[in-house]
Amino acid sequence: GQASLAMGFDYHRADNYRRFPLWLLYLFPPEFAVNASLDDVQKRLEQIEAQGRVAKTKFAAMIASHGGYALPKKVYNCDQEVSRESITEQVASIDRVHCPGKLLHNDDSLIIDYNDDKKSYLKQFLFNICAENASVSGYVTEKLFEAIEAGTIPVYWGDLEPEPNILNPNRIIFWDKLKSGDVLARIRELYQDEEARKKFLERPLFNPSAAAVIHGYFRQLRKDFSELLFTE
């Protein structure tokens, strides 16, 4: 209640709070977003949709510097924990998972061949394991959206309903450690069955409301800053 304007990923209803998750600035750089129209945002989403249908040459990647444990006592409202090592090792039972980060490092090409450009690197892969540090409502980071922008199928753990007004959950593989056998079977099917993969990739990445919701985030923020900076 003390700040003129507070921003974050949580869903709060305070008058001085605006939800503005960080992934917005990864998917829409400020120089684009500052003047982007609703039509501009829609065209950007369509470009990302098209990238997901480009042929891939490798199975899966996981890029992380640590295992991702988020203990409940350390993360507010988090009652679950996950190990990126465990997910990766299980998915690797299907085929090799490339790990160019510090965690489970087995690939130097991100630096050598891609100059540390994560999205360009990920474009090779059919799947990207992208687990959050915590499973908290609203906490959706750039990890999921970088996987989507690169045209991979996300193998995701985190918010149980990530950005429900924007993303189509039927276009994401949700990791569930209690049903890992079912998840692995689905990943194997999409990897080995071309027809199943084609049908999966035909599903839209974004909900029909996505462009309007995203455009609304930026429009509201411009309005808030204008009122704060220029209202006497």
Side-chain angles (χ1 to χ4, degrees):
Q2 297 179 16
S4 298
L5 178 65
M7 300 163 62
F9 64 80
D10 295 291
Y11 294 103
H12 289 308
R13 296 186 180 276
D15 291 339
N16 67 331
Y17 178 80
R18 297 288 181 264
R19 185 170 190 270
F20 197 87
L22 184 61
W23 63 261
L24 286 165
L25 297 182
Y26 281 78
L27 215 58
F28 303 93
E31 60 271 19
F32 170 88
V34 66
N35 292 313
S37 66
L38 176 58
D39 188 55
D40 292 332
V41 174
Q42 182 62 50
K43 288 179 180 178
R44 176 81 175 104
L45 296 184
E46 290 171 0
Q47 290 173 350
I48 296 170
E49 288 270 10
Q51 182 61 42
R53 298 183 177 93
V54 175
K56 308 299 178 180
T57 58
K58 296 179 181 178
F59 171 57
M62 189 282 297
I63 306 175
S65 58
H66 59 83
Y69 280 111
L71 301 180
K73 65 182 180 181
K74 292 184 178 180
V75 181
Y76 182 68
N77 275 345
C78 178
D79 58 2
Q80 299 183 56
E81 58 185 52
V82 70
S83 164
R84 292 187 179 108
E85 293 102 328
S86 176
I87 297 174
T88 302
E89 288 165 359
Q90 291 181 72
V91 174
S93 67
I94 300 172
D95 202 341
R96 181 187 179 190
V97 177
H98 291 248
C99 303
K102 293 181 181 179
L103 184 67
L104 300 176
H105 183 85
N106 64 8
D107 182 4
D108 294 325
S109 67
L110 175 59
I111 296 294
I112 295 174
D113 299 329
Y114 291 90
N115 196 30
D116 208 24
D117 185 332
K118 180 179 178 181
K119 282 182 282 189
S120 293
Y121 173 85
L122 285 176
K123 287 179 181 179
Q124 309 171 83
F125 297 95
L126 181 59
F127 299 98
N128 176 214
I129 298 169
C130 45
E132 304 285 12
N133 291 321
S135 177
V136 177
S137 178
Y139 179 60
V140 182
T141 71
E142 76 284 354
K143 297 178 181 66
L144 177 56
F145 283 89
E146 285 182 331
I148 289 170
E149 187 179 6
T152 71
I153 298 173
V155 180
Y156 181 74
W157 179 89
D159 187 347
L160 299 179
E161 295 183 280
E163 305 298 347
N165 295 321
I166 295 172
L167 296 176
N168 176 10
N170 294 318
R171 191 55 172 70
I172 300 169
I173 302 296
F174 288 89
W175 183 261
D176 185 341
K177 65 181 179 181
L178 299 180
K179 300 178 181 179
S180 59
D182 293 339
V183 180
L184 291 171
R186 182 59 167 152
I187 294 172
R188 184 179 290 107
E189 178 189 29
L190 295 178
Y191 180 44
Q192 298 177 347
D193 186 331
E194 184 175 349
E195 187 60 29
R197 182 168 64 252
K198 180 181 177 182
K199 289 182 179 179
F200 183 86
L201 294 175
E202 286 174 349
R203 299 172 179 176
L205 275 167
F206 301 102
N207 287 333
S209 62
V213 173
I214 292 168
H215 184 254
Y217 278 129
F218 288 109
R219 185 182 62 227
Q220 181 63 58
L221 189 61
R222 287 195 296 266
K223 180 176 181 291
D224 289 332
F225 277 124
S226 178
E227 291 177 354
L228 285 172
L229 296 173
F230 303 113
T231 300
E232 295 183 355

